[in-house]
Amino acid sequence: MTQLRTVQVLGGGSAGGSAHVRSLASGLVARGVRVTVCAPAELDHAYDFRGAGAHFVPVPRPGGPATVAMLRNACIGADVVHAHGLHASVRAMLALAGGVRAPALVTTWHTRSHVEGPRGGLVRLLERRTVRAAAVVLGTSSELVDRARRRGARDARLAPVTVPASRTPVCLHDGKARAELGAVDRPLLMAVGALVPERGYGMLLDAARVWRDLDPQPLLVIAGEGPERATLQRRIEAEGLAVRLIGRRDDVAELLAAADVAVLTSRWEARSLLAQEALRLGVPLVATAVGGVPELVGDAAELVPWGDAEALAGAVRGLLEDADRRMDLAAAGRVQAGTWPTEDETIAHVLSVYDELSGR
């Protein structure tokens, strides 16, 4: 039997999707599969797909006929093309259209768009086109599977993605990390994610305003970069909030482990990287009850409604004032993390889909 060959396609390169493809590439290569990754060049610099044993084809982020042609050439001879996210799925669909012996198309939905108006209509159209072109749609949460089915997917399946835990040992409440962040004698709250409106940082700053009467006042640290930085920084300075924006960091696991509480305020998430890392480490988590978050965390986190800054502030205050509750959540988080698929199980599940589609 010939060696199975798959092409992994990334478009915008969300952190979750990119980390998943890095994990898939490494695991599939170890199982004898030939893997090609097509993605913007900067993603290979960040995730080292070549280091995982994959062949890497740099595909420019902007679309167009030339980009589609590059992707079509990369897919020649593949058994399965696996696109991650809507942007990548559109590219893969166009690249495979009209092929006499086109490989099977698998698409994974890691997240969803919240665009409204005319652009929202275009997104829904593209979702319908891509899921109907795919042999199998994999959704990382039940809500995404249901959404794909409503869009007309022929075969939509739940495929929870567990991103590998940090390989670097971390120390909980590490004094050095807390000193670096300026939280030696005060509680440390940690949020991670791109500085974009969908992350809910406006609500988080509303909550930080409520925390000003706590003694000692907690320090909120936000790791991430994005177009909202200037707006957030102006508000932090104008309102005198104990908040630090520290930009994009490569040591998020270490910083998160140093925190007393992790905070996730997104408008929507499927399988949040921050939530996974916090529960694995045993860091108490307060999160918005949106998308796949309740399914992911179970009873191992404090959940609050999206947009309710008072509920968010109250949940964080309650944890800071109750050490026993923090310890209970830390223990529950590790137990909940043990229920998630392992990295090997995630790879084996995807490979079983490939084998099914290629008739192996």
Side-chain angles (χ1 to χ4, degrees):
M1 184 179 289
T2 58
Q3 190 178 25
L4 181 70
R5 178 170 177 244
T6 177
V7 176
Q8 305 287 318
V9 184
L10 281 165
S14 69
S18 300
H20 176 52
V21 170
R22 175 57 167 82
S23 173
L24 270 184
S26 178
L28 291 172
V29 168
R31 289 163 172 80
V33 179
R34 291 172 57 201
V35 179
T36 297
V37 176
C38 297
E42 62 268 23
L43 292 185
D44 186 48
H45 297 151
Y47 293 93
D48 191 21
F49 301 117
R50 291 185 177 96
H55 175 61
F56 182 74
V57 177
V59 178
R61 196 177 291 270
T67 299
V68 171
M70 291 175 62
L71 188 55
R72 181 180 294 120
N73 289 336
C75 293
I76 294 173
D79 297 290
V80 178
V81 174
H82 190 164
H84 299 264
L86 182 60
H87 187 184
S89 297
V90 171
R91 287 181 168 190
M93 176 186 68
L94 295 174
L96 300 180
V100 177
R101 297 181 61 185
L105 175 62
V106 175
T107 181
T108 291
W109 281 13
H110 294 272
T111 186
R112 55 167 289 187
S113 172
H114 289 278
V115 178
E116 304 295 340
R119 287 188 61 200
L122 175 60
V123 167
R124 290 189 292 274
L125 173 63
L126 293 176
E127 287 178 345
R128 287 194 295 270
R129 291 279 304 275
T130 54
V131 299
R132 291 171 182 176
V136 174
V137 179
L138 302 177
T140 58
S141 71
S142 299
E143 184 176 331
L144 287 175
V145 174
D146 292 340
R147 183 182 177 92
R149 288 171 178 162
R150 290 196 302 272
R151 296 290 186 263
R154 292 175 287 168
D155 186 346
R157 311 178 190 181
L158 180 63
V161 170
T162 299
V163 176
S166 173
R167 302 290 199 271
T168 306
V170 296
C171 178
L172 288 176
H173 304 292
D174 179 42
K176 181 178 178 182
R178 292 177 71 93
E180 178 204 336
L181 297 172
V184 175
D185 298 317
R186 63 198 305 189
L188 174 62
L189 312 176
M190 192 78 200
V192 181
L195 305 184
V196 294
E198 293 78 12
R199 292 288 183 179
Y201 291 134
M203 177 179 75
L204 188 53
L205 295 191
D206 289 342
R209 192 167 52 204
V210 177
W211 299 326
R212 287 186 299 192
D213 65 346
L214 294 179
D215 185 21
Q217 184 179 3
L219 173 67
L220 170 63
V221 174
I222 303 175
E225 198 52 82
E228 290 283 289
R229 170 182 268 276
T231 300
L232 294 172
Q233 189 62 52
R234 282 195 298 270
R235 183 175 168 192
I236 290 166
E237 294 171 1
E239 299 181 21
L241 302 177
V243 180
R244 285 190 60 193
L245 306 179
I246 61 172
R248 190 176 290 109
R249 297 286 292 250
D250 296 326
D251 57 346
V252 167
E254 290 83 352
L255 298 179
L256 188 59
D260 297 286
V261 177
V263 188
L264 174 67
T265 54
S266 298
R267 179 181 178 186
W268 196 91
E269 293 277 357
R271 293 182 69 84
S272 160
L273 298 183
L274 169 63
Q276 290 187 54
E277 196 71 70
L279 266 61
R280 281 192 182 118
L281 291 170
V283 178
L285 172 69
V286 176
T288 43
V290 297
V293 172
E295 182 178 16
L296 176 68
V297 305
D299 296 325
E302 295 281 2
L303 298 179
V304 298
W306 155 258
D308 191 337
E310 289 294 331
L312 173 64
V316 171
R317 179 196 293 263
L319 285 180
L320 293 179
E321 294 175 346
D322 190 342
D324 289 340
R325 176 59 178 159
R326 293 201 305 274
M327 291 178 62
D328 289 344
L329 280 184
R334 295 188 180 99
V335 171
Q336 180 69 11
T339 69
W340 301 335
T342 64
E343 183 179 7
D344 281 346
E345 288 168 345
T346 299
I347 295 163
H349 180 223
V350 172
L351 182 55
S352 72
V353 174
Y354 296 171
D355 286 341
E356 175 187 335
L357 295 176
S358 62
R360 292 170 183 259

